[in-house]
Each structure stands twice: as C-alpha cells, then as structure tokens.
Amino acid sequence: MNIVDSNEVIKKLINSNKMVLVYFGSKTCGVCSAMKPKVDEVLKIYPKIKSIQVDVEKSMQLSATYDIFTIPAILVFIEGKETIREARYISMQDIEGKISRYYDLIFE
C-alpha cells in the first residue's frame, strides 16, 4: 500500500478505478500498526481493489478533507462514491464481509 499525501492523487485513483480502499493511520498509533497487516491480508483476497495509505501526522489537511477524526480509519470508494467507512474499533471480519458483497457485484 503506497503512502500518499496529495488529494489530487487520491481523487485520480478514486475516479479511475471501480473500487479503492484508503487507509488512514499513523506510525505512532499502536492500533494502526496492528491493523495495517490485517488490512493488507484482506486486500490480498481482493486483488482488484486499489489501495493507498495516508499518514495522518504528515497529512493533517488531507485527513480533514475526508473528515477523519479518529484513527485507524478505512474508507472504501466504489465507482467514485464513499460506500464504506469504519474507524477506531474496526472489525476486519465486518469490513471483509462488506467488501466481498460489493466486490462480487462489481468484478464478477
């Protein structure tokens, strides 16, 4: 997952792909560090999802643009629209279930 710090890059990725996952976290956040490998595992199951990461400490303005008030946060955009938003206490099982529903509709 590439780290980005530009809203233009995020918008371009969202508008040019059917499904995009944006992960907001921080290196100093213990929960974020534990969550990141789990997010990567889910992304391996769904290879057609494009993904990027935003380091909230380095990109506070970008975090504010997407109304991120707590981390970790996962936003999933489907066909340009934010469809899934989870933050703070994230169940990867719930996220995976939500993603699989949309993924099957879009890609299969």
Side-chain angles (χ1 to χ4, degrees), residues 31 35 70-72 86-91:
V31 176
M35 181 68 65
T70 185
I71 55 174
E86 297 289 332
R88 196 174 210 152
Y89 303 110
I90 301 171
S91 164

Side-chain angles (χ1 to χ4, degrees), residues 2-5 22-29 52-63 71:
N2 293 329
I3 297 176
V4 298
D5 60 0
V22 183
Y23 178 79
F24 290 85
S26 166
K27 290 181 181 177
T28 60
C29 165
I52 50 176
Q53 179 178 350
V54 175
D55 185 333
V56 297
E57 290 180 358
K58 294 179 181 174
S59 305
M60 295 184 108
Q61 182 64 38
L62 190 54
S63 301
I71 55 174

Side-chain angles (χ1 to χ4, degrees), residues 37-46 92 95-96 99:
K38 294 175 184 178
V39 173
D40 290 337
E41 287 299 314
V42 168
L43 289 169
K44 286 179 187 175
I45 299 169
Y46 304 101
M92 289 313 296
I95 287 279
E96 198 271 333
I99 288 173

